[in-house]
Amino acid sequence: MPVDLHRHVRLISAVSIDHWRGMRLEGCLQFVLLMALTCRAAGLNIPLEVEQPPTIITKTSGTVIALPSDPTITLKCEAKGNPPPEYRWTKDGKDFIPPLVTTNRTDHTGGTFALQNKHLVQFQGKYRCYASNKHGTAMTEEIKLIVASVPQFPKETVNPFVVDEGDPIILHCNPPEGVTERQIYWMSIGLQRIEQDERVSMGIDGNLYFSNALQKDSRQDYCCVAAFTNIRTIALKPAIAVVVKSLKPENDSALSSNTTLAPPLRMPGLLLPSGVQTEKVLLKGQRLELECIPEGYPTPKITWMKLGEEMPRKTKYDNFGKQLTISAVEEADAGKYMCSAKNSAGEAVHYFDVIVEEPPKWLTEPPQSQLTVIGSDVHIKCSVSGKPPPDITWRRNGEVFKDDPLSNRRVLDDTVVLHNAAPEDSAVYQCESSNNHGKILANINIMVINLAPQILTRDNHEYAVVLGGDVIMNCSVFASPLPSISWTRDGTQETLVGGRFSELQNGSLQITNAEKEDGGNYVCVAVNTEGKSAVIAALDVKDPTRITNPPQDMQIISGTPAQLMCQAEYDQSLRSTFEVIWMKDGKEIPLSFEGNSRFRHIVDEGMLQIMNVNLSDQGLYTCIARTSLDEVNATGLLTVLDVPDAPKNVQISELMGRRNVSLSWVPGNEHNSSVAEFIVEFEESQWEPGRWKELQKVPGNQATAELALQGHLNYQFRVYAVNAVGPGPPSEPTERYKTPPAAPDRNPENIKIHGHLPNQMDISWEPLLPIEHNGPGLEYKVSYRRLGVGDDWIWNLEKRHSINVKNTSTFVPYEIKIQSRNSHGWGPEPKVVTGYSGEDVPTSAPRDVAVEVINTTVLRVSWTPVPHATVRGHLRGYNVHWVRKRSLLHPSKILDERHSLSFPGKRNHAIVPQLEPFSEYRLTVNVYNKKGNGPNSDPVTFNTPEGVPKQVPILTASNARADSILLVWGPPLETNGILTGYLLQYHLLNESTLEVVDSQEINITGADTSQWRLQGLKDGSLYRFQLSACTQAGCGPPVAQESSTVEQARVGGQQSELSTQGWFIGTMCAVALLTLIALMACFVRRNKGGKYAVKEKEDLHPDVESQGMNDDTFCEYSDSEEKPLKGSSLCSLNGDDMAGDSVSRDSLVDYADGEEEFNEDGSFIGEYSGRKHRGSVSEPSGPNPVTA
């Protein structure tokens, strides 16, 4: 008896099973039993290393229709076998040599050939392909080749159909046959379809049937059209004429010639089908179509029934009930059907005997190929079904094979039995089953052989698995009879069974949860009665792949780049196979390394970059790190934040009146960022069409807004949402919404009253916006009257937004109110505002002007304010003007240096700074308003006291000796009084630390003294000299110089040397004198012309006699007595314009500490700040010490 084939062929596949437990083939030789259905024949599929009979693997089956549009027709026949098979073809049972046979046997296409369309008609017929080698012959089923021709109607002349009214008509189409599907239509010459109904219809055969003819059926152009869509062909039958004659009365009178009779009653009959009963045979699964087309007058009605049974549920009625259709019939649909044609004259019936048959088919599956040992019995059973029952024909190697009782090969109907099979019984057996509906064929390879084990797996094959993974090592064996297979470790005889090692049914060795110690060589041994064989397999256990830095969940704003990390560790021996794959929502992302895609994978950094993220990028990203052995994955959710989508379905609904509406909308997608607010915008078509303006803001959790609208506008609205990312696009605008006109809702605001001329008053206001007019004819009612007088209101209607009121009194208060109105009414009651008429210059001067000299440079001036009525405007402040007439040092020289300061506000005193000491001044005061200055007060003349001198400009030390040094200097540039002498201070210094060791001072009383030899000094010592000029007011800031005396040991030589060099001393004195003359010339030039020169920083320090000054001196400064200063500064009087004298006698604010100065026109800039201690002396850096 034959043994099951799977017990003879062990198939062991090399597999590495990693984290995903997938199977990976390792390129070894494998073979399986394939039961090929459809176009692949059933056969034994074994490695081609083993000799075997041919097996058909690809073939053309069924019917092949060659269309005119096909350039070639290919008939395929491919087989495998060892030795490679040879091919032959038969056509209609006779040998056939194809014109273009492919003979390349290496790709198994040697049996395939192609036929050119040009000569295709001669090749029409039935074909078989045979593939043969020394072990047998395989064959294909019959292949029917049909060559389609262009269908056309035969040329014929059709006589007109002439019938009496009420008679039936059959217009025959007789369409040409075609191998492709066709559609038939009845049309007129103008390609208009013939109208069909219960009386007139087309049958399945294409004929046009008239149950009874009527006068309207008469026409000359009944055309039958056959359309073959697959070959793009339309065939047209010549037109057929129909003439329907009306029925006349039998007498021939003139009256009867114009009279027609109705058709007589006519018993029903059937135009189709003919006879009483029709047998209908069709295959299971085909479409059943039964048709009854009646004739008679009036038109009969058709009814259907199935005798003895209910109608199948799939039954449909077409063609106005004349056609019964059942799609995909089954055996249960077989039986007797009846159609009945009935009218008022009678009834006609027809019976259909429906028989459902089927072609041959395999009961389970085609017979299987078998491999058996010598001496066993082989049974080949061909189990088929069909209706009618099919006939079975057996072949051996393509030749008909019949029962032979004297042979060991017996044919018993559907079974072939091979008793005591021998190697010569090996062949290809064919079972062909056929009935009148078709044929099926199976090739069965029978191999009778005894064979020692042949291990097909390559020896020393290497396998790899990751630590902890599973691996299957294969040992592909072909043998007959069945071999036994065992596995051992190299160098041991113990069989590997149990624990993590298991032998599979096909002989494979599976190792689960591999460990490092599992690496090494394994031996597979196969043994049967015919022999023994073995191979070695090597196993390498590698480190698993691991993701160390997986992608993280992140939120990204649309339009910005995103970076997803995926860093992994893996076995370095697998570096060439390592790769990272990115997937989004389960689909692989196509990555770019050239930068032409928004997705870039930076391999070295393990990073996926997404440039310019958009909403479509949102999703779950999975990175897969894999090698040839394993793979791991990690996921991260990318959430894209974007501006909200536009709201939808924005609708308007009225609340109370047409000017109060409610706006509602459906919010759009927030795109992962909550809406903070909605902005409602409007556009109106009258004043600014096309310009959208914000109307209202609504919280993000609200989808409605109540809007108060202006009147007489044609609105439309839209809404957009704002979230943390930004504003989204606006919604579609609403339909136009027109509000009715109404009176204005408000009056003008920001009313301003100006008086540009003394006897006029200009009134202006901020007009209503155009959209606030609420209607046509907007104008303003301007009303005014004197304040507190009780006059009647004077009013004017103005369309502009300003009015000029003439003939008013100068600077008197008025009450003003402005009310808006339009053609639909007045606005609300307006508010009253107060203003003044035009100003004029003041008419009176301040009286009782008095001055109090505070120190050499500062004085306090006071006055009696002018009467309020004489100001004739808003009092801006007072101007103080003073003129330096002369210096008391040079009384004969007239200077005429003019200055002024403005003191804003209502006040009666001021502090005047920066006077020159020891000078004569004249001072006046005037009041000013917006229009200008009032008259000056009577002048006041005063003198400033002496001040301390300025710093000595130069000090030199020369002609040093052991105990003395000669000091030479120049007088101060400004003495600020009568110079009385100098104060000389000198200090002995420690040369290393420069600390003062001893100090002395000398008063030099001669004002004209310019040099001094200082005696009694210590030899070889360093001194610092400080010299100050003095007046009766005190001494000025010192100038400093340092120099050293000569050591005692060199005194004798120096005296002798200096005594002979008197010319040197004279030269030094001349240089000093020339320097003084140059400095004095610069001083005189600087003061020439009467302008107050810009002070140097050191000139701004007050003299030592200055006691103090409060904040009253913050004001404007001018050198002009005639005009007020531009841009007056405010003077502080401790918050009270009429406060008393707040000048301190003991201290004066230092109003010039380096940051404040005078403009070029003499105006004083800045606020006085910073206090100095009385008696402080500045020590500017002087020239380097001079030694003689």
Side-chain angles (χ1 to χ4, degrees), residues 267-516:
M267 285 282 293
L270 292 176
L271 300 176
L272 192 73
S274 61
V276 177
Q277 181 171 331
T278 301
E279 184 178 81
K280 187 77 171 179
V281 179
L282 68 162
L283 296 180
K284 183 178 179 180
Q286 286 184 335
R287 178 184 176 91
L288 171 63
E289 293 178 333
L290 303 179
E291 188 175 40
C292 283
I293 299 180
E295 59 97 0
Y297 187 85
T299 304
K301 297 287 186 182
I302 296 293
T303 58
W304 294 88
M305 65 179 299
K306 185 177 183 184
L307 300 181
E309 298 180 54
E310 292 184 357
M311 279 288 191
R313 292 184 178 181
K314 300 182 292 181
T315 303
K316 292 183 179 181
Y317 303 98
D318 299 321
N319 198 14
F320 308 100
K322 303 172 189 178
Q323 182 177 319
L324 181 148
T325 303
I326 300 176
S327 61
V329 295
E330 301 175 358
E331 289 187 9
D333 299 326
K336 284 189 177 297
Y337 292 80
M338 183 189 78
C339 76
S340 171
K342 190 175 184 180
N343 67 5
S344 58
E347 181 180 8
V349 297
H350 189 88
Y351 298 94
F352 295 89
D353 188 8
V354 177
I355 302 172
V356 178
E357 297 183 347
E358 58 180 328
K361 68 174 184 178
W362 306 113
L363 283 177
T364 54
E365 59 182 359
Q368 301 298 305
S369 298
Q370 300 180 39
L371 175 66
T372 185
V373 295
I374 299 173
S376 61
D377 291 342
V378 177
H379 293 259
I380 309 171
K381 187 173 180 61
C382 192
S383 299
V384 294
S385 65
K387 188 177 181 180
D391 297 326
I392 296 177
T393 301
W394 287 96
R395 291 183 174 86
R396 182 176 184 272
N397 293 331
E399 302 294 333
V400 176
F401 173 52
K402 295 184 178 181
D403 182 47
D404 183 3
L406 302 179
S407 170
N408 70 324
R409 304 167 185 165
R410 300 297 306 273
V411 177
L412 304 176
D413 194 14
D414 63 348
T415 304
V416 169
V417 178
L418 304 179
H419 295 288
N420 193 21
E424 54 268 22
D425 293 321
S426 297
V428 181
Y429 294 80
Q430 287 89 23
C431 166
E432 186 173 47
S433 177
S434 61
N435 63 12
N436 54 354
H437 298 301
K439 297 180 181 181
I440 55 175
L441 174 73
N443 285 284
I444 306 103
N445 289 1
I446 302 299
M447 295 183 65
V448 181
I449 186 173
N450 283 10
L451 183 68
Q454 294 184 10
I455 299 180
L456 304 176
T457 302
R458 188 176 70 251
D459 196 13
N460 292 310
H461 187 75
E462 296 181 355
Y463 299 88
V465 65
V466 296
L467 183 67
D470 299 347
V471 64
I472 295 177
M473 293 185 290
N474 79 322
C475 187
S476 299
V477 180
F478 184 80
S480 181
L482 173 70
S484 64
I485 298 175
S486 61
W487 286 85
T488 62
R489 289 292 295 264
D490 191 16
T492 67
Q493 298 299 320
E494 183 179 356
T495 301
L496 294 172
V497 177
R500 296 181 296 104
F501 298 87
S502 59
E503 183 178 334
L504 303 182
Q505 185 178 2
N506 60 3
S508 304
L509 177 65
Q510 178 175 347
I511 305 176
T512 59
N513 194 19
E515 300 175 355
K516 283 288 187 181

Side-chain angles (χ1 to χ4, degrees), residues 477-677:
V477 180
F478 184 80
S480 181
L482 173 70
S484 64
I485 298 175
S486 61
W487 286 85
T488 62
R489 289 292 295 264
D490 191 16
T492 67
Q493 298 299 320
E494 183 179 356
T495 301
L496 294 172
V497 177
R500 296 181 296 104
F501 298 87
S502 59
E503 183 178 334
L504 303 182
Q505 185 178 2
N506 60 3
S508 304
L509 177 65
Q510 178 175 347
I511 305 176
T512 59
N513 194 19
E515 300 175 355
K516 283 288 187 181
E517 295 76 15
D518 295 336
N521 291 335
Y522 293 79
V523 179
C524 169
V525 180
V527 179
N528 70 357
T529 56
E530 305 298 319
K532 176 181 179 181
S533 184
V535 293
I536 295 176
L539 178 63
D540 185 9
V541 181
K542 299 181 181 293
D543 293 329
T545 304
R546 185 170 63 91
I547 294 178
T548 58
N549 187 9
Q552 304 295 320
D553 295 345
M554 63 174 56
Q555 292 184 336
I556 294 294
I557 295 177
S558 178
T560 62
Q563 294 180 344
L564 296 169
M565 302 301 298
C566 183
Q567 296 176 338
E569 294 178 350
Y570 53 91
D571 194 294
Q572 290 301 308
S573 65
L574 302 174
R575 183 179 182 87
S576 61
T577 67
F578 174 76
E579 63 178 347
V580 175
I581 295 175
W582 284 91
M583 304 187 74
K584 176 182 178 292
D585 298 330
K587 295 183 179 180
E588 185 173 347
I589 301 173
L591 299 177
S592 169
F593 298 92
E594 292 80 18
N596 56 359
S597 170
R598 292 192 306 107
F599 294 90
R600 294 181 60 239
H601 182 207
I602 304 177
V603 179
D604 295 339
E605 300 179 14
M607 178 193 303
L608 175 68
Q609 281 189 342
I610 309 175
M611 311 305 295
N612 194 21
V613 170
N614 58 45
L615 290 173
S616 65
D617 298 323
Q618 179 170 293
L620 193 65
Y621 286 79
T622 302
C623 85
I624 301 174
R626 71 184 182 191
T627 64
S628 58
L629 297 181
D630 68 340
E631 73 175 38
V632 290
N633 64 72
T635 60
L637 178 63
L638 177 64
T639 303
V640 179
L641 307 180
D642 203 351
V643 297
D645 283 346
K648 302 176 181 177
N649 196 24
V650 182
Q651 295 183 342
I652 305 172
S653 57
E654 294 184 9
L655 295 176
M656 296 178 62
R658 289 186 57 81
R659 292 183 56 197
N660 291 277
V661 299
S662 174
L663 201 67
S664 63
W665 58 86
V666 177
N669 194 322
E670 295 182 342
H671 296 310
N672 306 306
S673 178
S674 298
V675 172
E677 62 182 1

Side-chain angles (χ1 to χ4, degrees), residues 67-298:
L67 300 177
S69 59
D70 296 332
T72 59
I73 293 297
T74 301
L75 299 183
K76 295 182 178 179
C77 182
E78 299 177 18
K80 68 173 185 177
N82 187 1
E86 296 180 352
Y87 300 90
R88 68 182 179 90
W89 285 84
T90 62
K91 176 178 178 290
D92 299 327
K94 298 180 180 180
D95 288 339
F96 171 75
I97 300 176
L100 296 173
V101 176
T102 303
T103 57
N104 184 357
R105 296 182 179 181
T106 59
D107 59 5
H108 309 294
T109 60
T112 299
F113 67 91
L115 301 173
Q116 298 296 326
N117 188 295
K118 184 184 298 184
H119 309 292
L120 210 53
V121 176
Q122 60 180 316
F123 295 109
Q124 186 168 269
K126 297 179 181 179
Y127 291 83
R128 279 191 194 269
C129 172
Y130 297 84
S132 305
N133 66 9
K134 68 179 183 179
H135 296 289
T137 299
M139 60 184 288
T140 65
E141 299 172 357
E142 278 190 344
I143 305 167
K144 187 175 183 180
L145 175 62
I146 299 176
V147 180
S149 59
V150 178
Q152 54 186 332
F153 285 97
K155 293 182 179 180
E156 59 178 332
T157 300
V158 181
N159 296 323
F161 282 81
V162 180
V163 297
D164 291 333
E165 190 172 14
D167 289 345
I169 308 175
I170 301 177
L171 300 183
H172 294 276
C173 178
N174 298 325
E177 294 295 331
V179 295
T180 61
E181 183 181 357
R182 70 185 179 188
Q183 292 177 321
I184 301 175
Y185 308 94
W186 280 91
M187 309 181 79
S188 67
I189 292 296
L191 297 181
Q192 297 296 321
R193 288 197 179 189
I194 301 299
E195 185 177 352
Q196 299 185 28
D197 52 23
E198 292 181 350
R199 186 179 64 86
V200 181
S201 61
M202 184 182 71
I204 298 174
D205 57 6
N207 297 336
L208 187 63
Y209 294 90
F210 295 77
S211 296
N212 48 75
L214 299 178
Q215 282 285 317
K216 64 179 182 179
D217 297 328
S218 295
R219 60 188 304 158
Q220 304 295 315
D221 58 350
Y222 286 94
C223 296
C224 181
V225 178
F228 301 85
T229 56
N230 287 346
I231 60 175
R232 299 178 181 180
T233 300
I234 295 177
L236 182 65
K237 186 180 180 71
I240 303 173
V242 174
V243 178
V244 180
K245 297 187 300 181
S246 60
L247 300 178
K248 303 288 185 179
E250 293 184 0
N251 55 10
D252 296 332
S253 64
L255 181 62
S256 63
S257 62
N258 295 325
T259 303
T260 60
L261 298 177
L265 291 179
R266 193 178 171 90
M267 285 282 293
L270 292 176
L271 300 176
L272 192 73
S274 61
V276 177
Q277 181 171 331
T278 301
E279 184 178 81
K280 187 77 171 179
V281 179
L282 68 162
L283 296 180
K284 183 178 179 180
Q286 286 184 335
R287 178 184 176 91
L288 171 63
E289 293 178 333
L290 303 179
E291 188 175 40
C292 283
I293 299 180
E295 59 97 0
Y297 187 85

Side-chain angles (χ1 to χ4, degrees), residues 760-900:
Q760 294 183 8
M761 179 171 61
D762 294 322
I763 304 172
S764 63
W765 56 90
E766 187 177 281
L768 270 62
L769 297 174
I771 63 172
E772 296 175 325
H773 290 187
N774 282 359
L778 181 75
E779 54 187 357
Y780 304 99
K781 180 182 178 181
V782 183
S783 305
Y784 58 91
R785 67 180 180 183
R786 290 275 299 267
L787 177 64
V789 178
D791 293 344
D792 293 333
W793 289 95
I794 303 172
W795 57 273
N796 292 299
L797 287 176
E798 295 289 337
K799 293 187 177 180
R800 300 174 302 159
H801 52 275
S802 65
I803 183 175
N804 178 260
V805 181
K806 300 181 182 299
N807 301 321
T808 62
S809 300
T810 301
F811 197 67
V812 295
Y814 278 84
E815 289 180 304
I816 296 99
K817 61 181 181 179
I818 303 177
Q819 186 177 18
S820 55
R821 60 157 283 180
N822 62 17
S823 57
H824 290 270
W826 292 92
E829 185 64 26
K831 296 180 180 179
V832 178
V833 298
T834 302
Y836 286 83
S837 58
E839 299 184 25
D840 205 348
V841 295
T843 59
S844 63
R847 295 177 291 106
D848 304 327
V849 178
V851 298
E852 177 186 359
V853 177
I854 297 175
N855 56 37
T856 59
T857 61
V858 179
L859 64 84
R860 182 179 187 275
V861 58
S862 61
W863 60 86
T864 299
V866 300
H868 179 73
T870 64
V871 178
R872 300 204 296 177
H874 294 288
L875 188 145
R876 290 290 190 90
Y878 288 86
N879 293 322
V880 178
H881 310 275
W882 68 95
V883 180
R884 185 186 180 201
K885 303 297 291 182
R886 61 178 58 83
S887 171
L888 297 180
L889 285 174
H890 310 284
S892 60
K893 182 179 180 181
I894 303 302
L895 299 177
D896 199 29
E897 297 175 0
R898 298 177 180 273
H899 310 278
S900 66

